[in-house]
Amino acid sequence: MLDRIKDFASGFFVTGDPLIYGADVAIVLTMIAVVAVLSYFKKWGWLWKEWLTSVDHKKIGIMYIIAALLMLFRGGVDALLMRTQLVMPDNDFLKPEHYNEIFTTHGVIMILFMAMPLMFGLFNIAVPLQIGARDVAFPFLNSLSFWLFFMGAMLFNLSFVIGGSPNGGWLAYPPLTEKMFSPGVGQDFYIWGIQISGIGSLMTGINFIITILKMRAPGMKLMKMPMFSWSVLASSLTIILAFPILTVTLALLFLDRFLGAHFFSLDAGGNPMMYINLIWMWGHPEVYIVVLPAFGIFSEVVSTFSKKKLFGYKSMVFALMSISVVSFFTWAHHFFTMGSGADVNAFFAVSTMIIAIPTGVKIFNWLLTMYKGKISFKLPMLWTMAFIPCFVIGGMTGVLLSVAPADFQFHNSYFLIAHFHQVLIGGVAFGYFAGLYYWWPKMFGFTLNEKLGKWAFWLWNIGFYVCFMPQYLLGLMGMTRRYSTYGWDTGWFGLNLVSTIGGFLMGIGFLFQVWQILHSIRFMQKDKTGDPWDGRTLEWSIPSPAPMYNFATEPRVGEVDDWWEEKQRLAAGQAPQPKPALEPIHMPKNSGIPIIKAACWFVAGFGFVFDWLWLAIPGLVGVAVCMLAHSFNYDTDYYIPVDEIKRTEAAARRGV
């Protein structure tokens, strides 16, 4: 009996690597600490009522952001482990199998479990406030979306210590990821972690499309919306078209592994290239899904900190929506070497060049907005200005990669790695950092320390260029990605050493951001105005942090940047617009069903990972029961009385 338990444990838990043992200890100690703190301060009830069951879009947004920052730490550690392995030739810091697992998890975590939730967090924080809504269209669905993302992320990360991580690359190309070549459960963790979180992402896309189209304040026509809300609409439309492709593709791969189907293996008429086409039909729009909202953030920040209207509003809207459409016609540039022929390659090369045009339009719009503006160099603006040269370089190297004959040389080299990170870090990460600093006072009611933030800014930016500029040269020298080691005779040592130093500088920059947040909580500089940046859009017209109902009375919008125009009218001595009388506010009730339902999905996914139908089926039954329970629950809303609204408004505006 004891031998059987030992045999099971040796296959169930990941063993044999000191790094894994260290992670095991850290996870256990962290869990003990969390449980101890919540128990000591008797906060379990508060945690359940105020956060875990909340349907308030602002709290859901904060939970997305916290999860994203944790995943940024995890993905960043993976990156530093890879750079440590590559710092010198013939290094044996990581075993090749472990290196494969780390670059796989790094890519998945950074795109799907860091960038996506950080994006959704900013969606939730800003969009309802910008359009004058009291919540999203479907608050229950919003909570369910978050918990599905969270449970999917936890299931994927569990593979680090149980079963073994996936090692087939972040897009899991077959035949390597078929059962014959990846017999372990790592690939199944990949499939089910992404499937569960992907369902939540699809729901979020639907939710925000309906919110933006149907819940705007009176008078806010589409062409009067803030640019960030436009970018969210473009991104959400792309989500609802792209994510079903991912869902179906991974379902087919699971059928190959679980039932012995042959969709993507050459046996019985399958074709691995079909998978690669399908995954990139989702994968390339996914890049634009995460970068479009960053473009919206830059538009808000540039306009606010230049004290000018955004230059070329209509052209910016057209650029965002055209990128959303054209992004579905560029996927094959990821594999010009497939052998589809000159005509196919030419089509996708031209479409890739075309999509660079609206991106260039936006760059000029931002520069012309800053032209002759009264620029204030606060942290959101610094991150925006750092983005522009970084993204221009990334765009130029992207056009180089779109030239099919050139791509035959660049393909799978470190030139491609450098380009991808130039766009994803310089565009997405810098954009979301700008958004975090910009909307932080609206989330929490205090600003972040500028001095520590500037240290983090410069460390991130210097580290970025030190890390990735050498990788362009390494790619041109012939270094291909996924190498776990290389020889002294390659001549790659010096550039890899420099690149590794840059990676650690970015890591130090992240630590400064953590220090900045903790320092700002300790020495809190409260925002008593609700408008610390002298903003232009509706979210700055209410107290910080925003009340649970957002707006005491429904705002009315007459033009773009309506709040800015209202402030100008008041400064000119005009009387403020009269506000309607307070009325009871209709709000949704909290619900525990989303977290329970997502937990059932986690159980089902875990069962499918290990082929334990005795666990998977009860998990799916739990999902069905939750659906039925919600279907027959009619007590889903309530009204906030006028007296409570008056008390809340008086308390919130006491310091104004």
Side-chain angles (χ1 to χ4, degrees):
M1 181 66 178
L2 185 61
D3 291 338
R4 292 178 63 185
I5 294 174
K6 288 182 178 178
D7 289 341
F8 171 79
S10 64
F12 187 72
F13 295 103
V14 179
T15 59
D17 192 316
L19 292 173
I20 302 295
Y21 293 140
D24 291 340
V25 173
I27 291 169
V28 171
L29 291 177
T30 302
M31 292 176 65
I32 292 172
V34 170
V35 171
V37 169
L38 290 172
S39 300
Y40 180 79
F41 291 103
K42 299 179 180 179
K43 289 293 185 180
W44 287 104
W46 168 84
L47 181 66
W48 176 260
K49 293 177 183 177
E50 296 295 325
W51 291 94
L52 302 185
T53 61
S54 177
V55 296
D56 182 349
H57 69 94
K58 299 177 290 296
K59 290 184 176 179
I60 291 171
I62 290 170
M63 289 191 290
Y64 267 122
I65 289 167
I66 292 171
L69 293 178
L70 290 173
M71 291 297 100
L72 176 59
F73 172 75
R74 164 73 205 277
V77 169
D78 283 346
L80 295 181
L81 289 173
M82 286 189 288
R83 289 312 322 164
T84 302
Q85 170 62 23
L86 295 172
V87 70
M88 62 184 297
D90 300 327
N91 197 356
D92 59 358
F93 173 68
L94 296 174
K95 298 176 182 177
E97 297 82 3
H98 194 183
Y99 185 85
N100 291 348
E101 293 173 352
I102 286 176
F103 73 65
T104 299
T105 56
H106 169 74
V108 174
I109 286 171
M110 286 304 208
I111 297 293
L112 290 168
F113 300 137
M114 188 283 287
M116 290 291 286
L118 194 49
M119 175 184 81
F120 288 147
L122 295 174
F123 281 19
N124 274 280
I125 293 298
V127 170
L129 300 181
Q130 283 199 330
I131 65 174
R134 291 202 167 107
D135 210 312
V136 294
F138 307 113
F140 177 92
L141 191 68
N142 198 25
S143 176
L144 179 60
S145 298
F146 168 74
W147 287 113
L148 285 172
F149 146 74
F150 185 81
M151 293 300 175
M154 290 302 100
L155 183 63
F156 179 86
N157 279 275
L158 197 60
S159 66
F160 186 58
V161 293
I162 293 178
S165 297
N167 60 3
W170 82 278
L171 288 178
Y173 287 179
L176 177 60
T177 54
E178 295 281 358
K179 201 73 170 179
M180 179 183 296
F181 300 105
S182 295
V185 297
Q187 204 55 50
D188 299 298
F189 272 114
Y190 172 97
I191 291 170
W192 282 101
I194 294 176
Q195 283 288 48
I196 293 170
S197 66
I199 296 169
S201 299
L202 182 58
M203 290 176 176
T204 301
I206 295 168
N207 208 345
F208 277 90
I209 290 172
I210 304 302
T211 300
I212 290 170
L213 294 182
K214 304 298 289 185
M215 298 186 68
R216 300 189 308 279
M220 184 181 281
K221 298 184 182 298
L222 282 173
M223 294 307 290
K224 294 179 181 177
M225 277 203 312
M227 195 53 61
F228 179 69
S229 294
W230 265 114
S231 70
V232 171
L233 180 60
S235 179
S236 297
L237 288 169
T238 312
I239 285 171
I240 66 169
L241 293 173
F243 266 80
I245 302 173
L246 175 67
T247 301
V248 171
T249 305
L250 293 181
L252 296 177
L253 182 60
F254 176 71
L255 291 176
D256 273 14
R257 293 178 57 83
F258 187 69
L259 295 179
H262 296 285
F263 291 105
F264 305 126
S265 62
L266 291 174
D267 301 338
N271 189 343
M273 285 311 303
M274 183 58 70
Y275 177 94
I276 295 173
N277 273 277
L278 287 170
I279 203 71
W280 279 115
M281 287 172 70
W282 160 79
H284 199 78
E286 165 65 11
V287 174
Y288 291 103
I289 285 169
V290 293
V291 81
L292 284 171
F295 293 157
I297 291 168
F298 295 134
S299 300
E300 302 291 342
V301 169
V302 166
S303 181
T304 297
F305 291 96
S306 300
K307 299 290 187 288
K308 286 178 63 180
K309 277 188 177 293
L310 182 67
F311 182 89
Y313 178 95
K314 292 182 180 179
S315 65
M316 189 72 83
V317 171
F318 178 79
L320 289 170
M321 301 309 290
S322 61
I323 288 173
S324 178
V325 173
V326 180
S327 68
F328 285 94
F329 297 93
T330 60
W331 80 86
H333 70 215
H334 291 277
F335 41 89
F336 282 136
T337 54
M338 181 176 72
S340 296
D343 292 340
V344 171
N345 284 357
F347 173 85
F348 285 99
V350 171
S351 67
T352 305
M353 296 174 192
I354 288 172
I355 208 169
I357 296 172
T359 304
V361 167
K362 292 193 297 298
I363 295 289
F364 284 108
N365 283 357
W366 294 320
L367 292 174
L368 290 168
T369 302
M370 287 187 274
Y371 179 64
K372 292 188 176 180
K374 297 179 180 178
I375 300 175
S376 175
F377 294 99
K378 298 292 186 180
L379 283 171
M381 190 63 176
L382 288 177
W383 284 103
T384 299
M385 296 184 72
F387 148 80
I388 291 176
C390 191
F391 202 77
V392 166
I393 295 171
M396 291 168 60
T397 54
V399 172
L400 285 174
L401 286 162
S402 74
V403 180
D407 186 71
F408 272 65
Q409 304 303 315
F410 302 141
H411 185 71
N412 266 354
S413 75
Y414 262 74
F415 188 95
L416 172 62
I417 297 297
H419 156 75
F420 190 70
H421 286 82
Q422 188 98 42
V423 175
L424 266 293
I425 295 179
V428 177
F430 286 11
Y432 293 164
F433 287 162
L436 270 179
Y437 286 115
Y438 184 60
W439 283 303
W440 187 276
K442 189 55 59 182
M443 286 188 276
F444 298 108
F446 66 92
T447 55
L448 291 171
N449 182 274
E450 284 277 325
K451 184 177 180 181
L452 290 173
K454 288 179 179 177
W455 272 97
F457 169 80
W458 286 112
L459 284 165
W460 263 98
N461 277 271
I462 294 170
F464 174 82
Y465 286 101
V466 172
C467 182
F468 292 106
M469 291 299 108
Q471 292 185 16
Y472 285 112
L473 298 176
L474 284 168
L476 295 175
M477 292 168 66
M479 184 173 180
T480 58
R481 58 180 172 174
R482 306 192 180 103
Y483 267 29
S484 64
T485 187
Y486 55 93
W488 286 98
D489 58 341
T490 58
W492 300 340
F493 165 57
L495 291 172
N496 271 302
L497 174 62
V498 173
S499 182
T500 300
I501 292 171
F504 276 90
L505 284 175
M506 287 191 286
I508 297 170
F510 176 76
L511 294 179
F512 265 90
Q513 288 176 307
V514 175
W515 181 12
Q516 178 191 22
I517 292 171
L518 297 176
H519 180 277
S520 301
I521 292 172
R522 174 70 178 84
F523 303 99
M524 193 173 292
Q525 298 176 351
K526 290 189 176 180
D527 166 36
K528 296 182 179 181
T529 67
D531 188 11
W533 312 125
D534 195 15
R536 310 179 71 85
T537 46
L538 288 179
E539 71 266 33
W540 305 112
S541 68
I542 59 177
S544 298
M548 63 182 301
Y549 48 76
N550 296 346
F551 298 91
T553 58
E554 191 174 43
R556 295 185 176 274
V557 175
E559 51 198 311
V560 178
D561 294 344
D562 192 78
W563 171 238
W564 173 263
E565 298 299 335
E566 174 71 8
K567 289 189 291 186
Q568 300 311 301
R569 287 191 290 268
L570 292 174
Q574 298 182 27
Q577 295 181 1
K579 292 185 177 181
L582 292 175
E583 297 179 354
I585 296 175
H586 182 229
M587 296 294 292
K589 283 186 174 180
N590 288 352
S591 175
I593 293 178
I595 186 173
I596 296 171
K597 184 177 179 180
C600 291
W601 269 113
F602 179 92
V603 171
F606 192 82
F608 280 121
V609 165
F610 286 95
D611 294 347
W612 294 345
L613 293 181
W614 58 267
L615 185 63
I617 291 173
L620 294 177
V621 170
V623 172
V625 170
C626 288
M627 293 173 69
L628 285 172
H630 182 59
S631 298
F632 289 100
N633 178 25
Y634 299 104
D635 185 21
T636 58
D637 50 8
Y638 71 105
Y639 283 88
I640 302 176
V642 171
D643 288 345
E644 185 176 340
I645 299 170
K646 288 180 178 178
R647 288 195 301 270
T648 304
E649 289 295 300
R653 297 184 182 277
R654 196 166 292 149
V656 177

